[in-house]
Amino acid sequence: MNGLKAVFGWLRQRVGWHALGLVASLVIIGIAAVVLFRMLRGIHLGEVFDALADTDPWRVALAALFVAGAYFTLTFYDWFALRTIGRPNVPYRVAALASFTSYSIGHNLGFSAFTGGTVRYRIYSAHGLGAIDVAKLCFITGLTFWLGNIAILGLGITVEPWAASAVDQLPAWINRLIGLALLTSLAGYIVWVGLKPRRIGIGKGHWTVTLPGSKLTALQIGIGIIDLSFCAAAMYVLMPEAPFIDPIALGVVFISATLLGFASHAPGGLGVFDAAMLVALPQFETESLLGALLLLRLLYYVTPFALALILLGVRELLVNRTRRRAAPCEPEIPIDPLAEMPVLQDDDEPVKEAAARRRA
């Protein structure tokens, strides 16, 4: 045990946790790439396209509706976080824009904590939030995500432990124990934050965050559960009609695969999420399942990403136009072509003031 601690201590000092996280991400991506290569080397693309074409239009429309519901729920991540950090003055429309664009871009580019945080700062800084405020907000939204995952995954694994076994290859009874442990930890956290105000952070100043109490934490968990339920429902309606799979079992597989993709930091969990789904659902034809996964990516990743870029572009144009209109008009200053300096008259005070401002 002491030797293991020494190894971790040496790695932390010499390499650093960020580098270790990068190595772990590369390992996950490498394993997923090997699995995908082995499973897809005999795939016929024509059959995949046939599966896409055979998908009922109403299923695609219903999946798009569920995806819209998921992104709508995501807007309440920011809305809740703004009130938690004491900035309820920011309008909901601003929170909705920041949430939608940051998650759409973060999901597609990977490393969402950085990419999504950058987009949020660009939007919220115009409404008086600083870098520390945005960092706090990102922490609360991340907490909402993880609390929702723990809740829905704990419930799903407890009810359908065999579905989790398809992903982690552990016996069903161990997975059920994991599910019960997740639910117990979640209940303990709710009790812990309900006993008294809990603050985390550095020091006692701007770098601390007061965690929501028990009632608000229950609301926080509810937001996360609704978001993940919409995502799983979109996947469910796109699945092949045969063989039948229980919605709860698919939800466990879907969320487990999503978390693996999130841990890899790959853009959209590309490769990792897909490999986990293919490994966990061998009862489905590979071509049909690939078609469903491609449709989900189109609806959940590609389309929102394009809309987010358009919205950000339009916002930048409007902001720049507003700034130009608000800029004060300064009087023109005549220039001496020989000296290339302003020609000032003794009685031209506005011109003198404008020249002084330009020199400053």
Side-chain angles (χ1 to χ4, degrees), residues 3-348:
L4 187 61
K5 289 182 179 179
V7 171
F8 276 108
W10 182 86
L11 289 174
R12 183 174 60 182
Q13 294 176 1
R14 298 289 183 179
V15 181
W17 290 121
H18 294 291
L20 289 176
L22 177 61
V23 171
S25 299
L26 293 176
V27 169
I28 294 174
I29 294 173
I31 294 173
V34 172
V35 171
L36 279 178
F37 174 76
R38 291 180 176 177
M39 297 190 69
L40 302 183
R41 56 185 175 183
I43 287 296
H44 301 286
L45 290 179
E47 295 182 9
V48 176
F49 291 127
D50 289 340
L52 286 170
D54 291 341
T55 304
D56 294 328
W58 70 267
R59 289 181 177 272
V60 179
L62 185 57
L65 185 63
F66 284 137
V67 168
Y71 275 98
F72 174 69
T73 308
L74 282 175
T75 64
F76 291 98
Y77 279 46
D78 281 47
W79 176 85
F80 181 88
L82 285 167
R83 278 144 184 80
T84 301
I85 67 173
R87 301 304 298 263
N89 57 304
V90 179
Y92 169 76
R93 67 179 186 278
V94 176
L97 176 65
S99 176
F100 175 74
T101 54
S102 63
Y103 279 115
S104 300
I105 292 175
H107 285 160
N108 284 274
L109 298 184
F111 295 96
S112 56
F114 174 75
T115 54
T118 303
V119 174
R120 280 191 172 101
Y121 180 76
R122 179 63 181 169
I123 295 175
Y124 285 129
S125 61
H127 294 268
L129 272 70
I132 297 176
D133 295 318
V134 175
K136 291 180 181 179
L137 184 141
C138 290
F139 170 78
I140 296 297
T141 56
L143 183 62
T144 303
F145 170 79
W146 283 109
L147 289 176
N149 271 279
I150 291 172
I152 198 168
L153 197 59
L155 288 169
I157 293 177
T158 302
V159 175
E160 294 281 357
W162 303 274
S165 298
V167 178
D168 58 25
Q169 304 300 310
L170 294 175
W173 67 271
I174 292 181
N175 280 321
R176 177 161 282 162
L177 289 177
I178 293 174
L180 292 172
L182 290 174
L183 294 177
T184 302
S185 300
L186 187 62
Y189 174 81
I190 294 175
V191 172
W192 180 68
V193 296
L195 293 176
K196 66 177 183 179
R198 303 290 182 177
R199 295 180 179 86
I200 61 173
I202 303 173
K204 298 181 179 180
H206 297 293
W207 290 95
T208 61
V209 178
T210 301
L211 297 174
S214 56
K215 292 182 179 179
L216 289 178
T217 298
L219 174 61
Q220 194 177 13
I221 293 171
I223 293 173
I225 289 177
I226 294 172
D227 165 42
L228 294 168
S229 297
F230 272 128
C231 295
M235 183 74 254
Y236 186 77
V237 298
L238 292 174
M239 291 291 291
E241 296 184 20
F244 173 79
I245 183 171
D246 184 82
I248 298 178
L250 179 65
V252 171
V253 171
F254 176 82
I255 294 172
S256 300
T258 300
L259 290 178
L260 282 174
F262 181 81
S264 72
H265 294 292
L270 187 62
V272 179
F273 168 79
D274 310 274
M277 292 290 290
L278 290 171
V279 169
L281 301 172
Q283 66 269 38
F284 291 92
E285 292 184 0
T286 304
E287 291 83 0
S288 299
L289 185 53
L290 276 178
L293 293 173
L294 288 174
L295 281 175
L296 181 70
R297 287 198 172 278
L298 176 64
L299 295 174
Y300 191 81
Y301 292 99
V302 179
T303 303
F305 183 60
L307 289 176
L309 292 180
I310 293 172
L311 287 174
L312 285 178
V314 172
R315 178 190 176 275
E316 290 300 317
L317 290 174
L318 294 177
V319 168
N320 290 332
R321 179 181 298 179
T322 302
R323 287 176 178 173
R324 286 197 300 267
R325 289 178 178 178
C329 296
E330 297 181 347
E332 295 185 0
I333 304 174
I335 303 296
D336 183 346
L338 297 179
E340 295 186 354
M341 292 293 290
V343 179
L344 302 180
Q345 304 297 328
D346 292 338
D347 57 346
D348 198 352

